Amino acid sequence: MKYTGWELKYFDSSSNFRKYQFSLIKEFIGEKILEVGPGSGNFANNFLIKVSKKLHLTEISKDLFEKLKIKFELKKNVEVYSKAISEIDSKFDTICYFDVLEHIENHELEIKEALKRLNKNGKLIIIVPAFNHLYSYYDKSIGHYRRYEKEFFQNFIKKNNLIKKKLIYFDSVGYFFLLINKFVNMKSESKVGLGTIIWNLLVPISKIIDKILFHKFGKSLICVIQNAK
């Protein structure tokens, strides 16, 4: 099934969720940042650009790349290009994959290539959809190869002698929304859009539950890996 990115408009408008995401990762963001697969660039424009001296965005979708060039053409501290991670020569303090890795078939190779492009003590920040048992028609329709458990990253970090800085689930309310969606099977875009609006309004409740339950489960997973080489 061809991935068209139709869901981006709903998540770009989910301001509560985006703010929550940023609050969980901002301590790990350095001055020179690369975001891989920024989509429409809303997260970069609303959050990353404010904390970065130099922000790089690489987007392999030609349509999204052209829109990003227009969006950031007047931003002097932003560079936009269309390259795979393996084609990038520079090194960065921070490399970000926000809901991107699940779209990449050879995800382990992608992570290894990203780690090669980190400065010493640089951080690789990955946010992905959590729990394979939540995988549904919706995931397939938007081009997800998989969802993730903590164990995948724990094993990868151990196998490659890396440093784990953070590994948590988050958005407990979103977890239950997706669990319901798997069985109700809301295939229409309008239903997904309405569900996204309601879910975004309930994100503040997620923040409270996540803290109480020590981030034991959630719709999404954050992994932060430090490069010590």
Side-chain angles (χ1 to χ4, degrees), residues 113-130:
E113 290 292 334
L115 289 167
K116 291 177 186 176
R117 286 153 180 85
L118 283 176
N119 291 321
K120 185 175 181 180
N121 296 321
K123 310 295 191 303
L124 174 61
I125 304 175
I126 299 170
I127 299 179
V128 288

Side-chain angles (χ1 to χ4, degrees), residues 14-98:
S14 302
S15 57
N16 288 336
F17 181 69
R18 292 306 190 196
K19 288 176 185 175
Y20 185 26
Q21 274 187 316
F22 185 65
S23 72
L24 293 170
I25 62 171
K26 62 182 179 181
E27 66 180 294
F28 302 108
I29 295 176
E31 294 182 346
K32 186 180 180 184
I33 304 169
L34 169 67
E35 184 182 359
V36 179
S40 63
N42 276 24
F43 194 91
N45 194 46
N46 291 330
F47 300 103
L48 296 181
I49 199 171
K50 297 175 182 178
V51 297
S52 171
K53 284 190 175 180
K54 184 65 176 180
L55 176 59
H56 297 250
L57 306 173
T58 185
E59 176 58 65
I60 61 172
S61 164
K62 298 302 180 184
D63 289 341
L64 292 172
F65 167 65
E66 293 299 330
K67 291 176 182 177
L68 286 168
K69 283 201 301 182
I70 295 169
K71 187 168 192 168
F72 291 99
E73 62 182 346
L74 300 179
K75 307 287 187 180
K76 293 182 179 180
N77 66 326
V78 181
E79 185 174 347
V80 180
Y81 38 87
S82 183
K83 296 180 180 180
I85 190 70
S86 58
E87 300 172 318
I88 296 173
D89 296 326
S90 302
K91 290 205 169 187
F92 306 89
D93 300 316
T94 312
I95 298 178
C96 304
Y97 286 79
F98 300 142

Side-chain angles (χ1 to χ4, degrees), residues 20-215:
Y20 185 26
Q21 274 187 316
F22 185 65
S23 72
L24 293 170
I25 62 171
K26 62 182 179 181
E27 66 180 294
F28 302 108
I29 295 176
E31 294 182 346
K32 186 180 180 184
I33 304 169
L34 169 67
E35 184 182 359
V36 179
S40 63
N42 276 24
F43 194 91
N45 194 46
N46 291 330
F47 300 103
L48 296 181
I49 199 171
K50 297 175 182 178
V51 297
S52 171
K53 284 190 175 180
K54 184 65 176 180
L55 176 59
H56 297 250
L57 306 173
T58 185
E59 176 58 65
I60 61 172
S61 164
K62 298 302 180 184
D63 289 341
L64 292 172
F65 167 65
E66 293 299 330
K67 291 176 182 177
L68 286 168
K69 283 201 301 182
I70 295 169
K71 187 168 192 168
F72 291 99
E73 62 182 346
L74 300 179
K75 307 287 187 180
K76 293 182 179 180
N77 66 326
V78 181
E79 185 174 347
V80 180
Y81 38 87
S82 183
K83 296 180 180 180
I85 190 70
S86 58
E87 300 172 318
I88 296 173
D89 296 326
S90 302
K91 290 205 169 187
F92 306 89
D93 300 316
T94 312
I95 298 178
C96 304
Y97 286 79
F98 300 142
D99 296 298
V100 170
L101 199 63
E102 64 274 15
H103 294 279
I104 299 171
E105 188 170 7
N106 195 340
H107 55 165
E108 290 199 36
L109 179 60
E110 183 78 15
I111 297 172
K112 289 176 181 178
E113 290 292 334
L115 289 167
K116 291 177 186 176
R117 286 153 180 85
L118 283 176
N119 291 321
K120 185 175 181 180
N121 296 321
K123 310 295 191 303
L124 174 61
I125 304 175
I126 299 170
I127 299 179
V128 288
F131 295 111
N132 272 310
H133 64 255
L134 291 178
Y135 192 92
S136 66
Y137 175 88
Y138 170 74
D139 287 283
K140 185 177 180 181
S141 71
I142 60 175
H144 290 181
Y145 282 100
R146 67 195 76 82
R147 301 180 71 89
Y148 290 83
E149 326 282 338
K150 277 185 180 181
E151 288 74 17
F152 167 77
F153 292 105
Q154 288 169 337
N155 292 335
F156 184 90
I157 289 167
K158 183 178 180 180
K159 184 169 60 176
N160 293 281
N161 297 311
L162 301 168
I163 299 172
K164 179 186 72 177
K165 300 300 291 184
K166 192 168 196 171
L167 184 59
I168 62 168
Y169 297 111
F170 72 103
D171 189 13
S172 45
V173 170
Y175 172 92
F176 289 110
F177 263 73
L178 288 184
L179 194 61
I180 293 168
N181 177 62
K182 180 166 184 175
F183 294 104
V184 174
N185 206 11
M186 295 189 299
K187 294 184 178 181
S188 73
E189 186 175 337
S190 61
K191 288 181 179 178
V192 171
L194 178 60
T196 303
I197 292 169
I198 296 170
W199 154 71
N200 182 60
L201 292 173
L202 296 175
V203 166
I205 297 174
S206 264
K207 292 173 69 175
I208 296 170
I209 297 174
D210 289 351
K211 284 184 179 180
I212 292 172
L213 298 179
F214 301 102
H215 293 271

